[in-house]
C-alpha cells in the first residue's frame, strides 16, 4: 500500500455514488469548520498575531518557490520514509504540537493521536493539550512531547519524566512562546481557553505541580490557574538553562521556533539534536520573516550538526517538497489537521493526513523523485 | 485571406445588428461554459493540481514579460506559417491534446477535429479521447497523435501502428502524466470520467488491448477498466525505454512535459525530434515552475538539436508572440478551445481558433513583425 | 491666477453649500460616465486590446516609481509653463488625440476644444474626430493635428494643407494604429463607430477624398466607408516614406507610438522633431511594455535631438511629475478628459483639466519644484 | 506594571463575560468610526492626497520588511523607555500632531491629551487643534508643540512664546504642508473644516493674530478666516528662515516631513535637533516614496548629528520595531488614535495607545530584545 492509494479510494467511492465526506481542499475544510465552530475556538486556531502579516508571508514564501519536475525517471516505487534521530518514520511529516484541541472537538487530542497512530505518523503532544501525557500515549503510535518550559524546575523535571515514562521519545522545546503574543481576534473576543482551565490537563495532572497548590485543582480551579499562569507565561529562558533539559532527557531534543542561523548554531553548541525552523504559524511575532525564507540559511549553517525540521505554512504536498528541498528533513503540519478534527474527529484528522500524504507521494513522484532523500535545492527553480 | 479578417467579419456583422454568438474573451467564454456544464465536467477541465499555484504561475509568467513594439516596418503582408518537422502549417499553433471531450459536448473530439481541419491547424489527438484514432482521422486536416504510453509494449505498438495508418504524422509522448496528480476539485466531486468508461475509446477499440480482456468490453465494462487502469496509470517509464518508440515510429517524436534543460538534452540524445515545454496547464505538479519561465533555458540548451514547442497558459495572441520570442517554434492551445466546444461545438472551437489567430496576426504586425521567424528575445523588454 | 486656485474655488463653493458638480476622482468620474453611456461607447473608450495587460502595466509602472519631496525651497511662485518647438504653453500638458468623441457627448470635439482653449492647453485633434479640422479650429486655442496616415498621398497632402491652413502648428503622426487591434469588448458588442460613419468628418469633408468617390458621401455612406477603410486601416507605412510628410509640413512633426530607443533615433535621423512615447493607452499591442518603462531609455538615447513627449496611463498630477522626471517634456492626457466630456460636456472637460493642473501645481510645489524645468531622475527614488 | 499588562486585563475581563469595548484591531476600529461619522469628518481623517498611492506605499514598505526573532535571550524584564533630547519617555512613541480633532469627537484634543497624559506618552499638539495651547496644557503630561509656520513673524513668535510658556518643551515644525495638497475625497465633499472656523482655536486665541483683525473673531468669523488663510497656507518657507525659529526657541526643534538625506543634513547644519521622516501619512505628495523606505538613508546620513523620528503608516507594534531597527529613535502614531477618539473619546484614545504599547512590548520581547536600544538593522531580514 502506498500513500497515494487514497486517491483511488476516493475515485472508486465516486463510482458507487459517494463523494468524500470531507473536502480534499484544506481551505474548504476550514470554511466548513468555521461554520460549525463558535468564533472563539475558530479564531483561536485560525488567528494570528497582529495583522496577520507573517501568516501571509509564510504562504507567499511557498508560492515564490517553484519545483522543476524531472521526467522519465524510475520513480514508480517510492518510499517516503525518513529516519529522524535513529528512528524510521513512514513519511517526512509530523503533527505539529497544538494545544486545547477539545475546543474544536470533544475528543480533542485523543482523536488526533488515534488518527496519527493509525498511519504511523508521529504526533507531537503539546504541553497545552486537553488530555494528559498518559492518556494520549494510550493511542499508541510514535509520539514526541512538546514542552512549554515552566519556570519551576521540579515541575519541568516531572513533565520530562512523565513523557519519557509514557514512551515519548523526542522532546520538542518551544522557544517562541514564552509569553503569549498580541492576537487581536482572541482579544476582541476576550477568549483565552486556559483561563477557563482548558488545555491545562497536563500540569493539572502533575503531582509536582499539584504539590504547589494550597487546595486541589478540583476544589479551586482559579487558584490552580493563578499558579499555572506565571509558571508558564511571561518569562523567557536563556541558553545557559538548556543544560537542565539536556541533563534530564535521554532522547533527542529539538528546539522549536528557531529563525536565525546563529541561534541554530548555538543550539548545536548546547548539545541539542535538532531545530524546528518555525514562526509558530504567524501566531507570535507579527511581521516576522517567513519561516521558509529563514530555512535555507539555517540548513546551510548547521550542516550535519543538527536535524532541521520545518513548520509554518505547510498546506500542500508541494509545500513539503519545497521545504525538504531547502534543507528540512521533515515538516510539521499544523492548522489543517485541526480543521479535520473540527469537522470529523479522528476520521477528519486521518482524512487530512491521508490527503496530504497522497498529494506528497504523487507530487514527489511526478517531480521525478522516489523519496525525500533525493531532494535538494536543485529540485527547485534557481531563485 | 488573412487570419485577421475575422475582425472585419465580426464588425461587419455588427452593422447588420448581429453580435458574435460567442465571446471573443476566453474568460467570458469560460464563464458561459461553467453555467452550462455540470460541476464535474467543468472542473475536470478548469481545475488544476493542488491549490492551483502553477496554473496561476503560468499566467503571471506571461504577464511579467512585455513586448516592445517596433514602428514603420513593412509588415502589411504577414505570413504566420511555420515549418515543423518538414511540414508547413498555417500558423505556429496546434490544438493541445485534451481527452474526454465528450464530457463538455456530445460531438467531443469530432467537433474539435473538424474545426481544426477547416483552418488547417493541426490537432493533437489525445490517447484519452472519446473517439477513436480512425474516427477522428475522418475529419481530415493535419493530425498528430498524443501517446499516454501504456505499460504493455504490444498495446503501445498497436496504437502507434493505428495512428501511423490513419495519417497522424507526428507522435507526442506525454511524460508528465504517468500517474494522475492530486486534483482537489475532481476528488471532492469524486469525478473521474475514465472510471465510467469515458475517454477510453482508443484502448477499447484496440485489438491488442481487447485481446487482453477475458470478456469483451461491451459485456464487461468494469473488467476492461480494471485492465486499463494499471496499464496507463501509476508507473513511470524511463529514458532507456524511448528506443521502443524511436524504433517503431517513422515520423517525428516530440516529448511533452519537459521542464528542465537537462531533460531536453537527454531527449535529443535519445533521438527525439522535439519537446513541448509544458507543465500540463498546472494539472500535474502543483507548485511547479511556470512553463514560460522554463522555456528560455531549454531553448538555449538545445539550440538546433530539437524543435521546441510550448504549452501551458496560452490565452492571447500576445502570449503566442512571447512564447515564440523566447524560443518556441509553435504553441499548443488548451482549455480555451474546450470552452469553445462546450458553448458551440465545432463552431465554438472554430470561433476560438479564429479569434486567437486573428489576435496573433494583428499583434504580430502591430509589434512590427511579418511572421514568426522574426521573433527572438529582442522582441521583448529585457528582463 | 495659478492652476491650484481651483482647489480654493471648490472649497469656497463648499462654504456656500455647493459640492463640485463632477468628482475630482477620475475613477469616480469614469464610474458615472459608465452609468450614463451605452456599453458600446463606454467600452470603446474604456476598453483595451486583448486582456488589458498593457493597460494595467501602464498604471503599475507609475505606481512603482516614487517622488522624493524636498523641503524648504522657495517654490511659492511656480510656473508650469513649457516651451515646445519654440512655442510657450501654460503647462506640460496636452490633450491626447481621441477620435469619435461624439459617441459620448453630442458636442464631441467641439466641447473639448473649447475647454482646452479656455485654459490655453493644446488639443491634439484626431483624424478620427467627429468634427472637421476647420470647425474645431474655431474654438481657438493652441492646436496640433494628429494624422492617421492614409495610403493615398494626395489625401495625405490635402489633410496637411487643411491643418496648416487652419492654424494647427504641430503634426502628430500616429504610428501604432495602422491597423486596428483586437479589442474583445468592442468585438463582443460588434461596435465600431466608423462603420456607421462616425469619426469620419475629416476625410468626408476632404475635397481630395471626396474626389475618390463615385457618389457623394451624402448619397452613399457605405460607398464612402468602403473607400475610407482600406485607405486608413490595414497597411503599415515605412521609415522611408516619412520624407513625404517632412517635405510637406513646415512645422514640427512628432511621431506617436514610439517604444524603442532605436525607433526614436531613427525618427531623429528622418528629420522628425519629437516623439510621443506611447502604447496608445494599452489599446493596440496587448502585452506591450508599459509606456513609462520605455521612457527613460528613449529619453537617454535621443538626448537633445528630439523633444520627448509621453502618453499612456497619466491619471494624476504626480504621474505628470514622474513622466517629466524620467525625460518627458510634456504629457498627453487621454481617457480622463473623455469621462469629463461624457458627464459634463465642455464644462466636464474643463473640470478634468483644471483638476489635473491644480494637482500638478500643488504636487510640484510640495515636492520642492517651482516648475517642470527642475525635474530630472533625482526627483524620484532611485530604482 | 508593564505595557503588556493590558493583554491580561482584557482576557481577565473576558472571564467575567466582558469583551473589550473597542476592537484591538485598528482596521476594525476605523470601520466602526466610519459608521458613526459623517463622510466629511471620516474622509478628512482617512483620506489621502491623490489616488492614495503613497498611503498604500507606506503600508507595503512595512510589509516588505521582516523581523528575525531571536530566542532564549534574557528579555523577561523590558524597558521600553527612550531618551529624547535629554528627557526620558516611557516608550518610543508619540502622538502625531493631528488637527481639528473636534470633528470626530466633541472633546477633541482635550480627550487625546488626557489619554496621552495618563500614560506619560507625549502628545504633539497641532497648530490646527480645536483647543488652545493653554487649554491642552491643562491635561498635564509631556507635550510638544507642532508649528504650522505662519507667514507673519510676530504671530510665529507669539505662538512659540505661548507654547514655551505652557510647558511644551519640543518644537515640531511641519515642512510638508505649507500648502494643502489635492485631496479628492475632501474636494468632492467640499469639506474643509478650517473654512468653518474649526481647527483655528490657536490663532484665534492669539493676541498678535487678533491684533491683525479689524473686528474681533467673535464678531466677524469670515474676516478672521480670510486673515488666517494666506498666513498659514500657500507659501513655502526656506532654509535660511529657520534662524528665526532657532533664535526664538530654547528647546529642541524637530523638522517634520523630511524625506531626503540632503534635507536632513541641511537641518543639522541649520542647528536643528531632529527630524521626523514622514510623508504626512500620504496626505501631501501622492506618489511620494514610502516614509519607511526613506528612513534608512536618512538615519545613515545624519548619524549622531540629529535625532531621527519616524511617522507615516505605523499601525502595529511590529511596525514600531521595524522603524526603530531602521534608525528611528521613536515613532509618531497618527490616524489610529483618531479612530479611538471617534469611538470612545479619551477612553478610546487610551485603548489605542495601550493596545499598541502592549503589542510593542510583547513583540519586542518575543523578537529577543529588552528595549529599543537593542534594535538595529540586524533585527530584520537582510533586504
Amino acid at each position: 500500500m502506498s500513500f497515494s492509494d487514497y486517491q483511488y479510494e476516493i475515485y472508486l467511492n465516486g463510482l458507487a455514488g459517494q463523494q468524500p465526506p470531507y473536502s480534499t481542499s484544506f481551505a474548504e475544510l476550514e470554511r466548513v469548520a468555521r461554520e460549525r465552530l463558535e468564533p472563539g475556538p475558530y479564531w483561536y486556531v485560525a488567528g494570528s498575531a497582529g495583522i496577520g502579516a507573517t501568516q501571509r508571508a509564510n504562504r507567499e514564501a511557498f508560492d515564490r518557490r517553484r519545483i522543476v519536475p524531472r521526467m522519465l525517471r524510475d520513480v514508480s516505487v517510492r518510499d517516503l520514509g525518513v529516519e529522524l534521530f535513529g528512528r524510521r518514520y513512514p513519511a517526512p511529516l509530523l503533527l505539529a504540537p497544538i494545544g486545547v484541541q477539545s475546543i474544536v472537538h470533544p475528543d480533542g487530542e485523543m482523536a488526533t493521536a488515534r488518527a496519527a497512530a493509525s498511519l504511523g505518523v508521529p504526533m507531537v503532544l503539546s504541553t497545552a493539550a486537553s488530555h494528559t501525557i498518559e492518556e494520549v500515549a494510550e493511542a499508541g503510535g510514535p509520539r514526541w512531547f512538546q514542552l512549554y518550559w515552566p519556570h519551576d524546575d521540579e515541575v519541568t523535571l516531572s513533565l520530562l519524566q512523565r513523557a519519557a515514562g509514557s514512551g515519548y521519545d523526542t522532546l520538542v522545546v518551544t522557544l517562541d512562546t514564552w509569553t503569549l503574543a498580541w492576537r487581536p481576534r482572541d482579544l476582541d473576543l476576550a477568549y483565552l481557553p486556559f483561563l477557563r482551565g482548558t488545555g491545562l490537563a497536563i500540569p493539572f495532572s502533575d503531582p509536582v505541580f499539584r504539590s504547589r497548590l494550597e487546595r486541589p485543582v478540583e476544589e479551586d480551579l482559579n487558584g490552580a490557574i493563578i499558579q499555572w499562569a506565571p509558571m508558564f507565561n511571561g518569562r523567557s529562558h536563556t541558553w545557559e538553562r538548556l543544560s537542565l533539559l539536556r541533563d534530564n532527557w535521554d532522547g533527542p531534543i529539538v528546539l522549536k521556533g528557531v529563525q536565525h542561523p546563529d541561534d541554530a548554531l548555538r543550539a548545536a553548541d548546547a548539545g541539542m539534536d535538532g531545530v524546528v525552523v518555525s514562526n509558530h504559524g504567524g501566531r507570535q511575532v507579527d511581521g516576522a520573516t517567513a519561516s521558509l525564507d529563514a530555512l535555507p540559511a539555517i540548513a546551510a549553517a548547521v550542516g550535519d550538526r543538527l536535524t532541521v525540521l520545518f513548520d509554518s505554512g505547510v498546506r500542500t504536498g508541494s509545500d513539503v517538497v519545497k521545504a525538504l528541498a531547502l534543507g528540512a528533513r521533515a515538516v510539521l503540519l499544523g492548522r489543517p489537521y485541526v480543521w479535520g478534527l473540527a469537522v470529523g474527529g479522528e476520521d477528519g484528522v486521518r482524512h487530512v493526513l491521508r490527503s496530504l500524504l497522497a498529494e506528497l507521494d504523487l507530487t514527489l513522484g511526478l517531480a521525478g523523485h522516489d523519496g525525500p532523500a533525493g531532494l535538494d535545492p536543485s529540485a527547485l527553480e534557481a531563485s
Side-chain angles (χ1 to χ4, degrees), chain A residues 299-376:
Chain A
V302 302
D304 292 332
R305 295 183 67 196
L306 290 176
T307 295
V308 177
L309 306 179
F310 176 84
D311 160 298
S312 294
V314 173
R315 294 294 173 269
T316 72
S318 65
D319 294 343
V320 182
V321 169
K322 290 171 185 176
L324 299 186
L326 293 173
R329 192 80 71 81
V331 308
L332 285 70
L333 181 73
R335 289 181 185 91
Y337 82 75
V338 184
W339 305 135
L341 177 63
V343 302
E346 178 186 337
D347 260 12
V349 175
R350 187 162 31 240
H351 164 78
V352 165
L353 294 177
R354 292 190 71 188
S355 292
L356 187 72
L357 288 168
E359 191 182 22
L360 171 59
D361 188 23
L362 291 166
T363 302
L364 205 58
L366 287 167
H369 306 282
D370 64 0
L375 293 171
D376 63 28

Side-chain angles (χ1 to χ4, degrees), chain A residues 3-337:
Chain A
F3 289 122
S4 52
D5 290 348
Y6 196 42
Q7 185 193 44
Y8 298 117
E9 192 178 314
I10 291 174
Y11 283 132
L12 287 174
N13 287 338
L15 266 190
Q18 225 185 322
Q19 293 185 1
Y22 320 108
S23 176
T24 60
S25 153
F26 298 162
E28 171 65 12
L29 216 55
E30 176 175 348
R31 202 190 55 73
V32 174
R34 184 174 182 173
E35 276 176 14
R36 298 203 188 161
L37 296 171
E38 294 293 314
Y42 171 71
W43 281 113
Y44 183 79
V45 178
S48 64
I51 57 171
T54 293
Q55 199 176 17
R56 286 189 296 276
N58 282 336
R59 288 305 310 156
E60 291 162 3
F62 276 109
D63 217 49
R64 247 185 291 123
R65 283 167 173 101
R66 306 269 166 81
I67 298 166
V68 183
R70 302 299 300 269
M71 297 298 127
L72 290 173
R73 290 178 167 184
D74 182 9
V75 291
S76 301
V77 179
R78 296 177 296 282
D79 179 358
L80 267 58
V82 287
E83 195 183 286
L84 300 174
F85 310 119
R87 179 164 175 178
R88 190 86 191 160
Y89 294 99
L93 181 74
L94 300 92
L95 272 69
I98 296 182
V100 293
Q101 295 185 18
S102 61
I103 63 173
V104 306
H105 192 280
D107 296 345
E109 291 81 2
M110 295 308 299
T112 300
R114 287 179 194 127
S118 72
L119 297 166
V121 169
M123 174 181 181
V124 186
L125 179 68
S126 168
T127 300
S130 323
H131 293 89
T132 68
I133 292 173
E134 295 76 11
E135 284 167 342
V136 174
E138 281 167 28
R143 48 195 177 276
W144 297 17
F145 181 66
Q146 177 269 347
L147 183 70
Y148 282 125
W149 188 355
H151 283 274
D152 181 322
D153 289 355
E154 291 180 25
V155 171
T156 300
L157 298 187
S158 176
L159 294 178
L160 297 191
Q161 198 170 16
R162 288 170 65 194
S166 294
Y168 295 77
D169 49 29
T170 301
L171 184 69
V172 175
V173 184
T174 299
L175 305 181
D176 57 18
T177 313
W178 50 269
T179 200
L180 201 68
W182 186 257
R183 298 180 186 168
R185 289 287 191 174
D186 296 347
L187 288 161
D188 279 10
L189 297 164
Y191 180 82
L192 191 61
F194 307 106
L195 296 186
R196 291 170 170 84
T198 310
L200 303 182
I202 289 174
F204 283 8
S205 63
D206 193 81
V208 181
F209 179 85
R210 293 175 72 97
S211 73
R212 299 296 187 254
L213 306 177
E214 291 185 17
R215 296 166 57 201
V217 173
E218 292 70 22
E219 290 172 20
D220 181 10
L221 179 63
N222 277 352
I225 290 170
I226 286 168
Q227 189 67 29
W228 164 83
M231 194 186 288
F232 282 88
N233 193 68
R235 275 184 291 160
S236 63
H237 284 279
T238 56
W239 290 103
E240 297 70 30
R241 286 184 44 75
L242 283 176
S243 59
L244 179 83
L245 304 179
R246 184 65 292 170
D247 294 345
N248 290 281
W249 182 266
D250 291 336
I253 308 183
V254 177
L255 299 186
K256 179 164 179 283
V258 170
Q259 305 216 57
H260 193 289
D262 290 352
D263 282 356
L265 290 171
R266 193 139 183 199
D269 293 342
M272 301 294 107
D273 302 281
V275 291
V276 186
V277 178
S278 167
N279 55 32
H280 216 120
R283 300 168 74 82
Q284 287 294 100
V285 179
D286 190 39
T289 193
S291 193
L292 195 70
D293 287 336
L295 175 60
I298 292 174
V302 302
D304 292 332
R305 295 183 67 196
L306 290 176
T307 295
V308 177
L309 306 179
F310 176 84
D311 160 298
S312 294
V314 173
R315 294 294 173 269
T316 72
S318 65
D319 294 343
V320 182
V321 169
K322 290 171 185 176
L324 299 186
L326 293 173
R329 192 80 71 81
V331 308
L332 285 70
L333 181 73
R335 289 181 185 91
Y337 82 75

